[in-house]
Amino acid sequence: MRHKNTERNNHMGKTKSRGNGEGTIYKVESKGLWAGQLTMPGGKRKTVYGKTRKAVAEKLQKLNTDGSGAFSDLDKVTLSEFAKTLIDDDHAANVTNVNSHHRATETLKIIERHPIADLPLKKINEMAVKDFLLSITDYSESIIKKCYSMISRCMKEAVRLGAVPTNPVENVRRPKSAKKTKKIRALTVDEQKRLVEALEQHPDFKFKNQILLSLFTGARMGEINALAPGDINLTFKTIQIRRTVTRDANDRAIVGDRTKTYAGERLLPLNNKALAVAKEALQDCCGDTVFPVMTTSKVNDALKRFVKHYNILDEGVAGDVTCHSLRHTYATRCIESGVPAKVLQHLLGHKDIQTTLNTYCDVYGNLTDQSTQKINEYLSKIM
């Protein structure tokens, strides 16, 4: 029986050990975390998680002392400590993937730059929350929203556990960002032609195939950079999007285990131009990924230098051009050619169709104006 249990634990990627009175502690290799279990009074089994064996041992020691849970004294637990535990528990329980866990950790780092992070949960009130939110208005709207949501979630959980009577965040309005938002635009048809021609005339440009694949498929650059050779099927003319590049705890670019959202996992068709690019990319690759693993920002900087050097952009068109413009360009051409919004939602990997409609409302609006004009012209002829 002992032999079978050992085999089972090894199969699950867990290395178990037992300390004096500290319960069972083991390493969850697949998550890169330590976990600990302790049998509570009444026979109920409690599990806690942490990044180090020592951290798990300390949590188990608190459980062993008074049996009240991962936090034996909620009166002393700070917002930072509480948020970190929630983030790590979500990841250990498979609620969040590597990408989401990293983004949440980065959000917590922003909160930890403010004194609110060191306040015990019971001392966090509306004034403290307002003071923090007003201190981050120089950040983007997205970051402000993430920080607001993280603190709100912590306080809701604190209410549930009885640490505080009410959630002070509920009555605090989230401020707007003071940061000027740069509009990322799509390329015009002429700009797209100039970009493709310039890239084809300079095959030695390091990021040529990544840029063209994104332009011809609408895939995010992080998804393109995470492609494995097996994701490209030249016979059926498709690419399988199933992962994206993210950053690890040391801020290094790594290939994540999944896409940004579950809707991001999709099979994309390769048109003739994309197929030719994919063939060339496969011939050049010599590793586990088609392209060297790198962040979008690296390709982004190179793209900006390239379009400026070869005078590709029309200066009269407002908006910034980045790697995301390649995706916008693909989507815009799809809409202009009559692709239904529901199909475009799938091609882009959007979680819901409202995201597609909101992102490209200007393009759909232009088509509506054109259609209305055609209707008016037709009615004027027959009436």
Side-chain angles (χ1 to χ4, degrees), residues 3-276:
H3 177 65
K4 288 184 178 179
N5 287 337
T6 301
E7 285 184 339
R8 180 175 179 272
N9 289 332
N10 289 339
H11 176 68
M12 295 177 67
K14 297 178 180 179
T15 304
K16 292 196 173 187
S17 62
R18 188 181 299 273
N20 295 327
E22 61 183 8
T24 302
I25 299 177
Y26 53 90
K27 182 72 178 291
V28 184
E29 300 291 351
S30 62
K31 297 295 181 185
L33 293 173
W34 285 86
Q37 289 188 332
L38 187 67
T39 301
M40 306 299 291
K44 187 176 180 180
R45 196 82 168 155
K46 279 274 190 179
T47 305
V48 294
Y49 301 93
K51 285 190 175 180
T52 64
R53 189 183 189 285
K54 181 180 178 183
V56 171
E58 289 174 351
K59 288 182 180 181
L60 287 178
Q61 185 60 43
K62 290 178 181 178
L63 280 173
N64 202 32
T65 301
D66 62 6
S68 64
F71 290 110
S72 60
D73 190 353
L74 279 170
D75 285 346
K76 296 179 181 179
V77 175
T78 66
L79 175 64
S80 176
E81 292 170 340
F82 197 62
K84 189 174 184 304
T85 297
L86 294 181
I87 292 170
D88 288 344
D89 283 356
D90 281 351
H91 186 50
N94 240 355
V95 175
T96 58
N97 58 25
V98 174
N99 309 346
S100 299
H101 181 263
H102 177 72
R103 286 195 294 269
T105 302
E106 291 302 306
T107 298
L108 180 56
K109 286 180 182 178
I110 294 172
I111 296 174
E112 287 175 336
R113 294 171 190 157
H114 189 276
I116 194 173
D118 298 321
L119 285 178
L121 294 172
K122 67 176 185 177
K123 290 190 176 181
I124 296 177
N125 53 32
E126 288 185 27
M127 288 301 297
V129 176
K130 286 180 181 178
D131 183 65
F132 165 71
L133 292 173
L134 290 176
S135 75
I136 61 169
T137 53
D138 286 340
Y139 285 91
S140 68
E141 197 72 35
S142 173
I143 290 178
I144 294 173
K145 185 177 180 179
K146 288 175 183 176
C147 290
Y148 180 90
S149 297
M150 181 170 287
I151 295 177
S152 180
R153 184 199 171 190
C154 286
M155 299 314 297
K156 282 180 182 177
E157 187 66 11
V159 171
R160 188 184 71 80
L161 294 174
V164 296
T166 59
N167 178 6
V169 185
E170 286 182 349
N171 297 318
V172 178
R173 182 180 297 177
R174 176 164 50 88
K176 298 290 185 181
S177 172
K179 187 176 182 179
K180 188 175 180 181
T181 304
K182 285 187 177 181
K183 182 180 180 180
I184 306 300
R185 70 173 179 88
L187 299 175
T188 65
V189 173
D190 288 339
E191 288 173 333
Q192 182 175 354
K193 288 179 180 178
R194 289 198 292 269
L195 175 60
V196 173
E197 288 173 0
L199 288 170
E200 289 176 345
Q201 290 169 7
H202 297 84
D204 56 333
F205 178 57
K206 187 176 180 180
F207 307 105
K208 182 195 77 166
N209 288 333
Q210 285 137 287
I211 290 171
L212 289 175
L213 265 184
S214 180
L215 184 64
F216 294 147
T217 66
R220 300 174 180 91
M221 189 55 68
E223 295 169 341
I224 295 292
N225 288 336
L227 286 174
D231 294 330
I232 300 177
N233 190 315
L234 299 179
T235 303
F236 292 101
K237 300 180 181 181
T238 60
I239 59 171
Q240 181 72 50
I241 303 297
R242 58 188 180 91
R243 304 180 301 179
T244 190
V245 170
T246 185
R247 293 179 184 271
D248 64 10
N250 298 315
D251 211 34
R252 294 175 301 189
I254 60 168
V255 175
D257 57 359
R258 64 186 77 175
T259 53
K260 186 177 180 182
T261 66
Y262 71 87
E265 295 186 16
R266 59 205 189 278
L267 189 68
L268 297 179
L270 292 174
N271 58 39
N272 290 336
K273 285 186 174 291
L275 184 63

